[in-house]
Every structure is written in C-alpha cells, then in structure tokens.
Amino acid sequence: IGVNGGEIRRSKSMEILHKITLSVEEIQSVIAFAQGFAIEAMVVGDASILDFVPAGLWERKRKFRDEHGLASDVPLTAGTFGLVVDQRRNYTSILFAKDISEIVSSCNKICFAEEPASLRKFNQALTQQFGHCFSIALTSPSWLELTPKSADKGIALKSLMDLEGVNANQVLVFGDGENDLPLFRESTHSVAMGNAMESVKIRAAHLAESNEDDGIGLFLKKIG
C-alpha cells in the first residue's frame, strides 16, 4: 500500500492493482487556495515534486539549510520533519513553480509544510474549504497531506485483507501520523510509535518505542 492508500501494488511484480490520482483541475484549485496563505505546497507524483514556495520563505529555507549542515546543492524543498530535506533519493525531478498554469499533469498527493502553529490554522481553513471532497491529514505537526477522498490507508488495507482472506484480528498495524488512523479502524491490533502524534497515541491499542530506536523491531520481539 502506498500514497496514503491511493495505490496498491503486488510486492514482487510491482503490478498496480489500484491507483487513484488528483486531476490537474483539482490540483490547481487547491494550490490557488494555498497561495493565499503563504504556505509551501508540493505537488507530488511517483518520482517528482513541483514545489510552490512563498516568496517570504526562501531566506528562511536557505538559513535552515546552512544551519543544519546541508550541502548547498540540496533543493530547498521541505520534508515531513524539516523546513529543508534532501528529497533527491526518492524524487528524480524536483522543480519550483510560481503559477498554477505550470501544473500540467495529475499527481498522487499535495503536501503542505510550515511551522506547527501556522499549519494548524491553514489545516482548519483547508478542511473547511475542501474537506468534503478530499482526505486531509497531518503526518507530523509541520506536514499536512491532501489526497483523493477514496485514498485511505484503511480502505486499501481492507481491500488487501479481503483479497488475502484475513480478518482484523490477524493484522498488526503501526502508525505515527493522523493519516495512519484509518489503519487503526480496520485492525484489532493497532500500535502507535513512540514518536507518534498525541492524537494517534490515544487511539492506539499499544505503544512502541520511537522509529529512531527500532521501535517496530523491539515491539515484534516483545510480542514473540
């Protein structure tokens, strides 16, 4: 399962069993809305990012890159846990755009990044405007993702469970962001990572160590 449930592939052959994307018109509408809030917005495809960075954010990003010892050629694109993260390992094309007319193809999701306080306010506005037609969830306090309404990790998991003939009591799920909560809905055995958001921890049946401390491995050993 990938892209918040928007894609299901067979692991050996990589055959796509299910895939849904955002249309050009949908992307343009969301990006145009985001530009009114001075929020960084990234149009994310299979191997590409089209990044819309507000004019006032460039200097903050350059300073962040320098202060965190990142190379000067690292693209100034945000990540789940940082204002600038080197995304080149996962994305072969990282481009920066200014106008929505530069959006010419569908995408898997749209990601937004800012400081937590600003992102919370934007999340409220975005959900009020688009919550009826898209799935919107925080992956971290500084990272927000928008996907098609039916791109849901829980829906995708249930599809796989039906395909493989397993039930909710036979599935163990781990999560750290709010986009993982649909997994908890479909499984009896839900585990929040130690680094998970508090809104995720309170919904989990179990708690593991942080993902930086081999939390999944330690939990699996604990339960035998």
Side-chain angles (χ1 to χ4, degrees):
I1 297 173
V3 200
N4 288 346
E7 180 179 283
I8 302 175
R9 291 177 181 259
R10 293 194 181 277
S11 58
K12 291 184 179 180
S13 66
M14 296 305 289
E15 173 193 358
I16 296 176
L17 303 179
H18 172 76
K19 187 176 180 67
I20 49 178
T21 58
L22 295 167
S23 70
V24 170
E25 293 74 19
E26 289 173 328
I27 301 166
Q28 290 178 339
S29 178
V30 172
I31 294 298
F33 181 80
Q35 287 181 320
F37 289 81
I39 292 284
E40 180 176 4
M42 289 149 279
V43 179
V44 181
D46 287 341
S48 65
I49 296 177
L50 184 63
D51 197 349
F52 290 81
V53 179
L57 189 56
W58 286 108
E59 189 55 39
R60 278 176 55 200
K61 281 179 161 290
R62 293 189 185 96
K63 184 177 180 181
F64 182 97
R65 183 173 62 184
D66 293 343
E67 290 178 345
H68 287 76
L70 298 172
S72 60
D73 65 340
V74 172
L76 294 172
T77 297
T80 308
F81 300 104
L83 192 60
V84 178
V85 173
D86 193 346
Q87 302 271 28
R88 293 174 294 183
R89 185 180 68 172
N90 298 317
Y91 299 97
T92 56
S93 173
I94 300 176
L95 302 174
F96 295 90
K98 293 183 178 181
D99 191 86
I100 61 172
S101 63
E102 297 175 69
I103 301 167
V104 295
S105 59
S106 62
C107 78
N108 296 328
K109 60 183 178 179
I110 304 173
C111 302
F112 308 93
E114 242 302 350
E115 296 299 324
S118 298
L119 196 63
R120 281 196 300 270
K121 293 180 181 178
F122 174 69
N123 186 14
Q124 292 175 352
L126 186 70
T127 300
Q128 183 176 2
Q129 182 74 15
F130 293 108
H132 64 288
C133 51
F134 300 114
S135 293
I136 302 168
L138 288 165
T139 300
S140 79
S142 56
W143 186 266
L144 181 68
E145 296 190 350
L146 179 147
T147 55
K149 195 70 172 179
S150 55
D152 176 293
K153 290 185 180 182
I155 294 174
L157 175 60
K158 186 61 168 61
S159 296
L160 282 185
M161 289 162 62
D162 292 342
L163 183 66
E164 298 295 333
V166 299
N167 61 51
N169 197 46
Q170 296 173 294
V171 177
L172 179 65
V173 298
F174 295 84
D176 57 7
E178 291 182 349
N179 61 332
D180 294 314
L181 290 176
L183 292 174
F184 291 10
R185 182 186 69 223
E186 299 298 336
S187 172
T188 306
H189 309 292
S190 56
V191 187
M193 305 304 296
N195 57 287
M197 299 174 64
E198 288 302 318
S199 56
V200 176
K201 289 181 179 179
I202 63 174
R203 299 280 295 278
H206 307 280
L207 185 63
E209 299 295 325
S210 167
N211 63 347
E212 295 182 355
D213 298 318
D214 196 24
I216 291 178
L218 291 173
F219 187 85
L220 293 176
K221 290 178 181 179
K222 177 182 177 181
I223 66 173

PDB file of all heavy atoms in Angstrom, residues 51-87:
ATOM      1  N   ASP A  51       7.198  22.217  -6.572  1.00  0.00           N
ATOM      2  CA  ASP A  51       7.157  22.916  -5.289  1.00  0.00           C
ATOM      3  C   ASP A  51       6.788  24.391  -5.467  1.00  0.00           C
ATOM      4  O   ASP A  51       7.429  25.117  -6.228  1.00  0.00           O
ATOM      5  CB  ASP A  51       8.535  22.803  -4.622  1.00  0.00           C
ATOM      6  CG  ASP A  51       8.503  23.113  -3.141  1.00  0.00           C
ATOM      7  OD1 ASP A  51       7.477  23.622  -2.655  1.00  0.00           O
ATOM      8  OD2 ASP A  51       9.517  22.855  -2.473  1.00  0.00           O
ATOM      9  N   PHE A  52       5.742  24.808  -4.746  1.00  0.00           N
ATOM     10  CA  PHE A  52       5.330  26.207  -4.729  1.00  0.00           C
ATOM     11  C   PHE A  52       5.764  26.803  -3.391  1.00  0.00           C
ATOM     12  O   PHE A  52       5.183  26.507  -2.347  1.00  0.00           O
ATOM     13  CB  PHE A  52       3.811  26.326  -4.901  1.00  0.00           C
ATOM     14  CG  PHE A  52       3.327  25.974  -6.279  1.00  0.00           C
ATOM     15  CD1 PHE A  52       3.154  24.645  -6.657  1.00  0.00           C
ATOM     16  CD2 PHE A  52       3.058  26.968  -7.211  1.00  0.00           C
ATOM     17  CE1 PHE A  52       2.715  24.311  -7.926  1.00  0.00           C
ATOM     18  CE2 PHE A  52       2.616  26.646  -8.486  1.00  0.00           C
ATOM     19  CZ  PHE A  52       2.443  25.312  -8.852  1.00  0.00           C
ATOM     20  N   VAL A  53       6.814  27.623  -3.427  1.00  0.00           N
ATOM     21  CA  VAL A  53       7.385  28.210  -2.219  1.00  0.00           C
ATOM     22  C   VAL A  53       7.022  29.687  -2.149  1.00  0.00           C
ATOM     23  O   VAL A  53       7.328  30.445  -3.070  1.00  0.00           O
ATOM     24  CB  VAL A  53       8.923  28.051  -2.191  1.00  0.00           C
ATOM     25  CG1 VAL A  53       9.506  28.697  -0.933  1.00  0.00           C
ATOM     26  CG2 VAL A  53       9.308  26.574  -2.260  1.00  0.00           C
ATOM     27  N   PRO A  54       6.376  30.146  -1.080  1.00  0.00           N
ATOM     28  CA  PRO A  54       6.043  31.573  -0.940  1.00  0.00           C
ATOM     29  C   PRO A  54       7.307  32.427  -0.968  1.00  0.00           C
ATOM     30  O   PRO A  54       8.363  32.008  -0.474  1.00  0.00           O
ATOM     31  CB  PRO A  54       5.368  31.646   0.434  1.00  0.00           C
ATOM     32  CG  PRO A  54       4.902  30.256   0.710  1.00  0.00           C
ATOM     33  CD  PRO A  54       5.891  29.352   0.059  1.00  0.00           C
ATOM     34  N   ALA A  55       7.194  33.615  -1.523  1.00  0.00           N
ATOM     35  CA  ALA A  55       8.364  34.485  -1.680  1.00  0.00           C
ATOM     36  C   ALA A  55       9.072  34.746  -0.352  1.00  0.00           C
ATOM     37  O   ALA A  55      10.303  34.776  -0.281  1.00  0.00           O
ATOM     38  CB  ALA A  55       7.935  35.805  -2.321  1.00  0.00           C
ATOM     39  N   GLY A  56       8.314  34.917   0.715  1.00  0.00           N
ATOM     40  CA  GLY A  56       8.912  35.247   2.003  1.00  0.00           C
ATOM     41  C   GLY A  56       9.585  34.095   2.712  1.00  0.00           C
ATOM     42  O   GLY A  56      10.180  34.271   3.781  1.00  0.00           O
ATOM     43  N   LEU A  57       9.523  32.890   2.128  1.00  0.00           N
ATOM     44  CA  LEU A  57      10.061  31.707   2.787  1.00  0.00           C
ATOM     45  C   LEU A  57      11.458  31.322   2.305  1.00  0.00           C
ATOM     46  O   LEU A  57      12.173  30.591   2.986  1.00  0.00           O
ATOM     47  CB  LEU A  57       9.100  30.526   2.572  1.00  0.00           C
ATOM     48  CG  LEU A  57       9.355  29.228   3.336  1.00  0.00           C
ATOM     49  CD1 LEU A  57       9.417  29.482   4.842  1.00  0.00           C
ATOM     50  CD2 LEU A  57       8.278  28.201   3.010  1.00  0.00           C
ATOM     51  N   TRP A  58      11.881  31.849   1.182  1.00  0.00           N
ATOM     52  CA  TRP A  58      13.156  31.437   0.603  1.00  0.00           C
ATOM     53  C   TRP A  58      14.328  31.684   1.553  1.00  0.00           C
ATOM     54  O   TRP A  58      15.183  30.807   1.732  1.00  0.00           O
ATOM     55  CB  TRP A  58      13.403  32.168  -0.718  1.00  0.00           C
ATOM     56  CG  TRP A  58      12.561  31.677  -1.848  1.00  0.00           C
ATOM     57  CD1 TRP A  58      11.510  32.311  -2.427  1.00  0.00           C
ATOM     58  CD2 TRP A  58      12.687  30.429  -2.538  1.00  0.00           C
ATOM     59  NE1 TRP A  58      10.959  31.564  -3.421  1.00  0.00           N
ATOM     60  CE2 TRP A  58      11.664  30.396  -3.525  1.00  0.00           C
ATOM     61  CE3 TRP A  58      13.547  29.347  -2.424  1.00  0.00           C
ATOM     62  CZ2 TRP A  58      11.503  29.313  -4.390  1.00  0.00           C
ATOM     63  CZ3 TRP A  58      13.380  28.257  -3.284  1.00  0.00           C
ATOM     64  CH2 TRP A  58      12.375  28.253  -4.246  1.00  0.00           C
ATOM     65  N   GLU A  59      14.389  32.852   2.153  1.00  0.00           N
ATOM     66  CA  GLU A  59      15.524  33.180   3.024  1.00  0.00           C
ATOM     67  C   GLU A  59      15.545  32.291   4.263  1.00  0.00           C
ATOM     68  O   GLU A  59      16.611  31.848   4.700  1.00  0.00           O
ATOM     69  CB  GLU A  59      15.475  34.653   3.428  1.00  0.00           C
ATOM     70  CG  GLU A  59      16.730  35.142   4.157  1.00  0.00           C
ATOM     71  CD  GLU A  59      18.006  34.889   3.379  1.00  0.00           C
ATOM     72  OE1 GLU A  59      18.004  35.037   2.143  1.00  0.00           O
ATOM     73  OE2 GLU A  59      19.013  34.499   4.022  1.00  0.00           O
ATOM     74  N   ARG A  60      14.378  32.026   4.838  1.00  0.00           N
ATOM     75  CA  ARG A  60      14.297  31.105   5.975  1.00  0.00           C
ATOM     76  C   ARG A  60      14.814  29.729   5.595  1.00  0.00           C
ATOM     77  O   ARG A  60      15.509  29.057   6.369  1.00  0.00           O
ATOM     78  CB  ARG A  60      12.863  30.986   6.463  1.00  0.00           C
ATOM     79  CG  ARG A  60      12.391  32.088   7.395  1.00  0.00           C
ATOM     80  CD  ARG A  60      10.921  31.917   7.724  1.00  0.00           C
ATOM     81  NE  ARG A  60      10.635  30.593   8.284  1.00  0.00           N
ATOM     82  CZ  ARG A  60       9.419  30.049   8.292  1.00  0.00           C
ATOM     83  NH1 ARG A  60       8.385  30.690   7.762  1.00  0.00           N
ATOM     84  NH2 ARG A  60       9.238  28.856   8.825  1.00  0.00           N
ATOM     85  N   LYS A  61      14.499  29.290   4.398  1.00  0.00           N
ATOM     86  CA  LYS A  61      14.930  27.978   3.938  1.00  0.00           C
ATOM     87  C   LYS A  61      16.451  27.932   3.741  1.00  0.00           C
ATOM     88  O   LYS A  61      17.112  26.953   4.133  1.00  0.00           O
ATOM     89  CB  LYS A  61      14.227  27.616   2.628  1.00  0.00           C
ATOM     90  CG  LYS A  61      12.787  27.128   2.820  1.00  0.00           C
ATOM     91  CD  LYS A  61      12.163  26.808   1.474  1.00  0.00           C
ATOM     92  CE  LYS A  61      10.968  25.910   1.622  1.00  0.00           C
ATOM     93  NZ  LYS A  61      11.309  24.549   2.019  1.00  0.00           N
ATOM     94  N   ARG A  62      17.015  28.953   3.152  1.00  0.00           N
ATOM     95  CA  ARG A  62      18.466  28.983   2.952  1.00  0.00           C
ATOM     96  C   ARG A  62      19.192  28.976   4.296  1.00  0.00           C
ATOM     97  O   ARG A  62      20.198  28.271   4.476  1.00  0.00           O
ATOM     98  CB  ARG A  62      18.861  30.223   2.145  1.00  0.00           C
ATOM     99  CG  ARG A  62      18.372  30.207   0.699  1.00  0.00           C
ATOM    100  CD  ARG A  62      18.964  31.346  -0.106  1.00  0.00           C
ATOM    101  NE  ARG A  62      18.406  31.401  -1.448  1.00  0.00           N
ATOM    102  CZ  ARG A  62      17.399  32.171  -1.815  1.00  0.00           C
ATOM    103  NH1 ARG A  62      16.812  32.969  -0.916  1.00  0.00           N
ATOM    104  NH2 ARG A  62      16.949  32.160  -3.047  1.00  0.00           N
ATOM    105  N   LYS A  63      18.667  29.725   5.238  1.00  0.00           N
ATOM    106  CA  LYS A  63      19.267  29.769   6.573  1.00  0.00           C
ATOM    107  C   LYS A  63      19.165  28.405   7.249  1.00  0.00           C
ATOM    108  O   LYS A  63      20.129  27.940   7.876  1.00  0.00           O
ATOM    109  CB  LYS A  63      18.569  30.838   7.420  1.00  0.00           C
ATOM    110  CG  LYS A  63      19.183  31.041   8.793  1.00  0.00           C
ATOM    111  CD  LYS A  63      18.482  32.160   9.542  1.00  0.00           C
ATOM    112  CE  LYS A  63      19.102  32.348  10.922  1.00  0.00           C
ATOM    113  NZ  LYS A  63      18.410  33.443  11.685  1.00  0.00           N
ATOM    114  N   PHE A  64      18.026  27.756   7.127  1.00  0.00           N
ATOM    115  CA  PHE A  64      17.818  26.422   7.708  1.00  0.00           C
ATOM    116  C   PHE A  64      18.809  25.431   7.105  1.00  0.00           C
ATOM    117  O   PHE A  64      19.417  24.628   7.828  1.00  0.00           O
ATOM    118  CB  PHE A  64      16.379  25.970   7.446  1.00  0.00           C
ATOM    119  CG  PHE A  64      16.033  24.626   8.051  1.00  0.00           C
ATOM    120  CD1 PHE A  64      15.388  24.558   9.278  1.00  0.00           C
ATOM    121  CD2 PHE A  64      16.324  23.435   7.380  1.00  0.00           C
ATOM    122  CE1 PHE A  64      15.044  23.322   9.838  1.00  0.00           C
ATOM    123  CE2 PHE A  64      15.991  22.203   7.936  1.00  0.00           C
ATOM    124  CZ  PHE A  64      15.356  22.146   9.164  1.00  0.00           C
ATOM    125  N   ARG A  65      18.971  25.475   5.789  1.00  0.00           N
ATOM    126  CA  ARG A  65      19.899  24.552   5.109  1.00  0.00           C
ATOM    127  C   ARG A  65      21.325  24.739   5.607  1.00  0.00           C
ATOM    128  O   ARG A  65      22.029  23.763   5.884  1.00  0.00           O
ATOM    129  CB  ARG A  65      19.828  24.771   3.600  1.00  0.00           C
ATOM    130  CG  ARG A  65      20.699  23.820   2.789  1.00  0.00           C
ATOM    131  CD  ARG A  65      20.459  23.969   1.291  1.00  0.00           C
ATOM    132  NE  ARG A  65      20.795  25.300   0.811  1.00  0.00           N
ATOM    133  CZ  ARG A  65      20.608  25.709  -0.449  1.00  0.00           C
ATOM    134  NH1 ARG A  65      20.072  24.884  -1.340  1.00  0.00           N
ATOM    135  NH2 ARG A  65      20.931  26.939  -0.811  1.00  0.00           N
ATOM    136  N   ASP A  66      21.741  26.000   5.767  1.00  0.00           N
ATOM    137  CA  ASP A  66      23.098  26.281   6.234  1.00  0.00           C
ATOM    138  C   ASP A  66      23.283  25.849   7.689  1.00  0.00           C
ATOM    139  O   ASP A  66      24.291  25.221   8.044  1.00  0.00           O
ATOM    140  CB  ASP A  66      23.407  27.771   6.099  1.00  0.00           C
ATOM    141  CG  ASP A  66      23.472  28.228   4.641  1.00  0.00           C
ATOM    142  OD1 ASP A  66      23.609  27.346   3.759  1.00  0.00           O
ATOM    143  OD2 ASP A  66      23.354  29.433   4.390  1.00  0.00           O
ATOM    144  N   GLU A  67      22.296  26.165   8.534  1.00  0.00           N
ATOM    145  CA  GLU A  67      22.412  25.872   9.959  1.00  0.00           C
ATOM    146  C   GLU A  67      22.406  24.371  10.244  1.00  0.00           C
ATOM    147  O   GLU A  67      22.951  23.924  11.257  1.00  0.00           O
ATOM    148  CB  GLU A  67      21.280  26.547  10.733  1.00  0.00           C
ATOM    149  CG  GLU A  67      21.404  28.065  10.798  1.00  0.00           C
ATOM    150  CD  GLU A  67      20.245  28.715  11.521  1.00  0.00           C
ATOM    151  OE1 GLU A  67      19.219  28.027  11.719  1.00  0.00           O
ATOM    152  OE2 GLU A  67      20.361  29.904  11.878  1.00  0.00           O
ATOM    153  N   HIS A  68      21.796  23.580   9.350  1.00  0.00           N
ATOM    154  CA  HIS A  68      21.719  22.136   9.562  1.00  0.00           C
ATOM    155  C   HIS A  68      22.774  21.375   8.755  1.00  0.00           C
ATOM    156  O   HIS A  68      22.717  20.142   8.657  1.00  0.00           O
ATOM    157  CB  HIS A  68      20.313  21.621   9.211  1.00  0.00           C
ATOM    158  CG  HIS A  68      19.281  22.006  10.224  1.00  0.00           C
ATOM    159  ND1 HIS A  68      18.747  23.279  10.308  1.00  0.00           N
ATOM    160  CD2 HIS A  68      18.698  21.287  11.226  1.00  0.00           C
ATOM    161  CE1 HIS A  68      17.872  23.327  11.303  1.00  0.00           C
ATOM    162  NE2 HIS A  68      17.824  22.149  11.867  1.00  0.00           N
ATOM    163  N   GLY A  69      23.735  22.101   8.220  1.00  0.00           N
ATOM    164  CA  GLY A  69      24.862  21.474   7.552  1.00  0.00           C
ATOM    165  C   GLY A  69      24.538  20.745   6.267  1.00  0.00           C
ATOM    166  O   GLY A  69      25.263  19.824   5.868  1.00  0.00           O
ATOM    167  N   LEU A  70      23.455  21.139   5.604  1.00  0.00           N
ATOM    168  CA  LEU A  70      23.097  20.513   4.337  1.00  0.00           C
ATOM    169  C   LEU A  70      23.914  21.128   3.206  1.00  0.00           C
ATOM    170  O   LEU A  70      24.254  22.311   3.239  1.00  0.00           O
ATOM    171  CB  LEU A  70      21.601  20.697   4.064  1.00  0.00           C
ATOM    172  CG  LEU A  70      20.653  20.050   5.083  1.00  0.00           C
ATOM    173  CD1 LEU A  70      19.213  20.467   4.818  1.00  0.00           C
ATOM    174  CD2 LEU A  70      20.780  18.529   5.049  1.00  0.00           C
ATOM    175  N   ALA A  71      24.223  20.331   2.203  1.00  0.00           N
ATOM    176  CA  ALA A  71      25.011  20.820   1.072  1.00  0.00           C
ATOM    177  C   ALA A  71      24.271  21.928   0.337  1.00  0.00           C
ATOM    178  O   ALA A  71      23.039  21.966   0.309  1.00  0.00           O
ATOM    179  CB  ALA A  71      25.314  19.664   0.116  1.00  0.00           C
ATOM    180  N   SER A  72      25.027  22.808  -0.279  1.00  0.00           N
ATOM    181  CA  SER A  72      24.439  23.975  -0.937  1.00  0.00           C
ATOM    182  C   SER A  72      23.613  23.608  -2.161  1.00  0.00           C
ATOM    183  O   SER A  72      22.812  24.422  -2.638  1.00  0.00           O
ATOM    184  CB  SER A  72      25.538  24.968  -1.339  1.00  0.00           C
ATOM    185  OG  SER A  72      26.461  24.352  -2.234  1.00  0.00           O
ATOM    186  N   ASP A  73      23.803  22.388  -2.686  1.00  0.00           N
ATOM    187  CA  ASP A  73      23.022  21.980  -3.863  1.00  0.00           C
ATOM    188  C   ASP A  73      21.746  21.221  -3.500  1.00  0.00           C
ATOM    189  O   ASP A  73      21.009  20.784  -4.395  1.00  0.00           O
ATOM    190  CB  ASP A  73      23.879  21.140  -4.809  1.00  0.00           C
ATOM    191  CG  ASP A  73      24.303  19.810  -4.196  1.00  0.00           C
ATOM    192  OD1 ASP A  73      24.275  19.696  -2.950  1.00  0.00           O
ATOM    193  OD2 ASP A  73      24.674  18.893  -4.954  1.00  0.00           O
ATOM    194  N   VAL A  74      21.467  21.073  -2.206  1.00  0.00           N
ATOM    195  CA  VAL A  74      20.226  20.420  -1.790  1.00  0.00           C
ATOM    196  C   VAL A  74      19.045  21.318  -2.145  1.00  0.00           C
ATOM    197  O   VAL A  74      19.000  22.475  -1.705  1.00  0.00           O
ATOM    198  CB  VAL A  74      20.216  20.122  -0.278  1.00  0.00           C
ATOM    199  CG1 VAL A  74      18.842  19.622   0.172  1.00  0.00           C
ATOM    200  CG2 VAL A  74      21.288  19.091   0.072  1.00  0.00           C
ATOM    201  N   PRO A  75      18.086  20.839  -2.931  1.00  0.00           N
ATOM    202  CA  PRO A  75      16.921  21.672  -3.282  1.00  0.00           C
ATOM    203  C   PRO A  75      16.185  22.120  -2.022  1.00  0.00           C
ATOM    204  O   PRO A  75      16.058  21.361  -1.058  1.00  0.00           O
ATOM    205  CB  PRO A  75      16.058  20.720  -4.122  1.00  0.00           C
ATOM    206  CG  PRO A  75      17.022  19.714  -4.661  1.00  0.00           C
ATOM    207  CD  PRO A  75      18.041  19.513  -3.582  1.00  0.00           C
ATOM    208  N   LEU A  76      15.686  23.341  -2.048  1.00  0.00           N
ATOM    209  CA  LEU A  76      15.050  23.938  -0.868  1.00  0.00           C
ATOM    210  C   LEU A  76      13.603  23.464  -0.704  1.00  0.00           C
ATOM    211  O   LEU A  76      12.678  24.254  -0.538  1.00  0.00           O
ATOM    212  CB  LEU A  76      15.118  25.466  -0.952  1.00  0.00           C
ATOM    213  CG  LEU A  76      16.527  26.056  -0.867  1.00  0.00           C
ATOM    214  CD1 LEU A  76      16.493  27.558  -1.150  1.00  0.00           C
ATOM    215  CD2 LEU A  76      17.141  25.788   0.493  1.00  0.00           C
ATOM    216  N   THR A  77      13.428  22.157  -0.724  1.00  0.00           N
ATOM    217  CA  THR A  77      12.116  21.548  -0.575  1.00  0.00           C
ATOM    218  C   THR A  77      11.966  20.989   0.827  1.00  0.00           C
ATOM    219  O   THR A  77      12.878  20.348   1.347  1.00  0.00           O
ATOM    220  CB  THR A  77      11.941  20.411  -1.606  1.00  0.00           C
ATOM    221  OG1 THR A  77      12.011  20.972  -2.919  1.00  0.00           O
ATOM    222  CG2 THR A  77      10.607  19.708  -1.439  1.00  0.00           C
ATOM    223  N   ALA A  78      10.814  21.231   1.441  1.00  0.00           N
ATOM    224  CA  ALA A  78      10.580  20.774   2.810  1.00  0.00           C
ATOM    225  C   ALA A  78      10.376  19.268   2.860  1.00  0.00           C
ATOM    226  O   ALA A  78      10.191  18.603   1.834  1.00  0.00           O
ATOM    227  CB  ALA A  78       9.371  21.489   3.401  1.00  0.00           C
ATOM    228  N   GLY A  79      10.398  18.732   4.074  1.00  0.00           N
ATOM    229  CA  GLY A  79      10.120  17.323   4.307  1.00  0.00           C
ATOM    230  C   GLY A  79       9.230  17.184   5.525  1.00  0.00           C
ATOM    231  O   GLY A  79       8.886  18.174   6.173  1.00  0.00           O
ATOM    232  N   THR A  80       8.890  15.972   5.860  1.00  0.00           N
ATOM    233  CA  THR A  80       7.961  15.720   6.969  1.00  0.00           C
ATOM    234  C   THR A  80       8.449  16.319   8.277  1.00  0.00           C
ATOM    235  O   THR A  80       7.649  16.792   9.090  1.00  0.00           O
ATOM    236  CB  THR A  80       7.756  14.206   7.145  1.00  0.00           C
ATOM    237  OG1 THR A  80       7.396  13.628   5.894  1.00  0.00           O
ATOM    238  CG2 THR A  80       6.649  13.929   8.149  1.00  0.00           C
ATOM    239  N   PHE A  81       9.774  16.333   8.476  1.00  0.00           N
ATOM    240  CA  PHE A  81      10.301  16.785   9.757  1.00  0.00           C
ATOM    241  C   PHE A  81      11.314  17.916   9.627  1.00  0.00           C
ATOM    242  O   PHE A  81      12.135  18.116  10.513  1.00  0.00           O
ATOM    243  CB  PHE A  81      10.937  15.608  10.512  1.00  0.00           C
ATOM    244  CG  PHE A  81       9.969  14.489  10.805  1.00  0.00           C
ATOM    245  CD1 PHE A  81      10.006  13.321  10.074  1.00  0.00           C
ATOM    246  CD2 PHE A  81       9.019  14.625  11.800  1.00  0.00           C
ATOM    247  CE1 PHE A  81       9.111  12.289  10.332  1.00  0.00           C
ATOM    248  CE2 PHE A  81       8.112  13.608  12.068  1.00  0.00           C
ATOM    249  CZ  PHE A  81       8.164  12.427  11.332  1.00  0.00           C
ATOM    250  N   GLY A  82      11.257  18.666   8.536  1.00  0.00           N
ATOM    251  CA  GLY A  82      12.205  19.756   8.397  1.00  0.00           C
ATOM    252  C   GLY A  82      11.827  20.746   7.314  1.00  0.00           C
ATOM    253  O   GLY A  82      11.177  20.385   6.327  1.00  0.00           O
ATOM    254  N   LEU A  83      12.249  21.980   7.485  1.00  0.00           N
ATOM    255  CA  LEU A  83      11.955  23.039   6.524  1.00  0.00           C
ATOM    256  C   LEU A  83      12.672  22.797   5.198  1.00  0.00           C
ATOM    257  O   LEU A  83      12.210  23.214   4.138  1.00  0.00           O
ATOM    258  CB  LEU A  83      12.349  24.394   7.108  1.00  0.00           C
ATOM    259  CG  LEU A  83      11.872  25.645   6.405  1.00  0.00           C
ATOM    260  CD1 LEU A  83      10.351  25.700   6.356  1.00  0.00           C
ATOM    261  CD2 LEU A  83      12.417  26.891   7.099  1.00  0.00           C
ATOM    262  N   VAL A  84      13.818  22.108   5.264  1.00  0.00           N
ATOM    263  CA  VAL A  84      14.531  21.668   4.069  1.00  0.00           C
ATOM    264  C   VAL A  84      15.001  20.238   4.312  1.00  0.00           C
ATOM    265  O   VAL A  84      15.657  19.959   5.319  1.00  0.00           O
ATOM    266  CB  VAL A  84      15.757  22.553   3.750  1.00  0.00           C
ATOM    267  CG1 VAL A  84      16.494  22.001   2.518  1.00  0.00           C
ATOM    268  CG2 VAL A  84      15.337  23.995   3.506  1.00  0.00           C
ATOM    269  N   VAL A  85      14.644  19.330   3.415  1.00  0.00           N
ATOM    270  CA  VAL A  85      15.054  17.931   3.495  1.00  0.00           C
ATOM    271  C   VAL A  85      15.506  17.499   2.098  1.00  0.00           C
ATOM    272  O   VAL A  85      14.875  17.847   1.102  1.00  0.00           O
ATOM    273  CB  VAL A  85      13.890  17.042   3.979  1.00  0.00           C
ATOM    274  CG1 VAL A  85      14.269  15.570   3.890  1.00  0.00           C
ATOM    275  CG2 VAL A  85      13.490  17.407   5.405  1.00  0.00           C
ATOM    276  N   ASP A  86      16.611  16.767   2.038  1.00  0.00           N
ATOM    277  CA  ASP A  86      17.102  16.301   0.739  1.00  0.00           C
ATOM    278  C   ASP A  86      16.193  15.186   0.229  1.00  0.00           C
ATOM    279  O   ASP A  86      16.258  14.043   0.679  1.00  0.00           O
ATOM    280  CB  ASP A  86      18.538  15.793   0.883  1.00  0.00           C
ATOM    281  CG  ASP A  86      19.210  15.602  -0.475  1.00  0.00           C
ATOM    282  OD1 ASP A  86      18.496  15.598  -1.498  1.00  0.00           O
ATOM    283  OD2 ASP A  86      20.451  15.464  -0.510  1.00  0.00           O
ATOM    284  N   GLN A  87      15.358  15.523  -0.727  1.00  0.00           N
ATOM    285  CA  GLN A  87      14.352  14.591  -1.254  1.00  0.00           C
ATOM    286  C   GLN A  87      14.817  13.867  -2.516  1.00  0.00           C
ATOM    287  O   GLN A  87      14.059  13.101  -3.115  1.00  0.00           O
ATOM    288  CB  GLN A  87      13.066  15.374  -1.588  1.00  0.00           C
ATOM    289  CG  GLN A  87      12.456  16.125  -0.415  1.00  0.00           C
ATOM    290  CD  GLN A  87      11.476  15.261   0.355  1.00  0.00           C
ATOM    291  OE1 GLN A  87      11.585  14.040   0.383  1.00  0.00           O
ATOM    292  NE2 GLN A  87      10.501  15.892   0.974  1.00  0.00           N
TER     293      GLN A  87
END
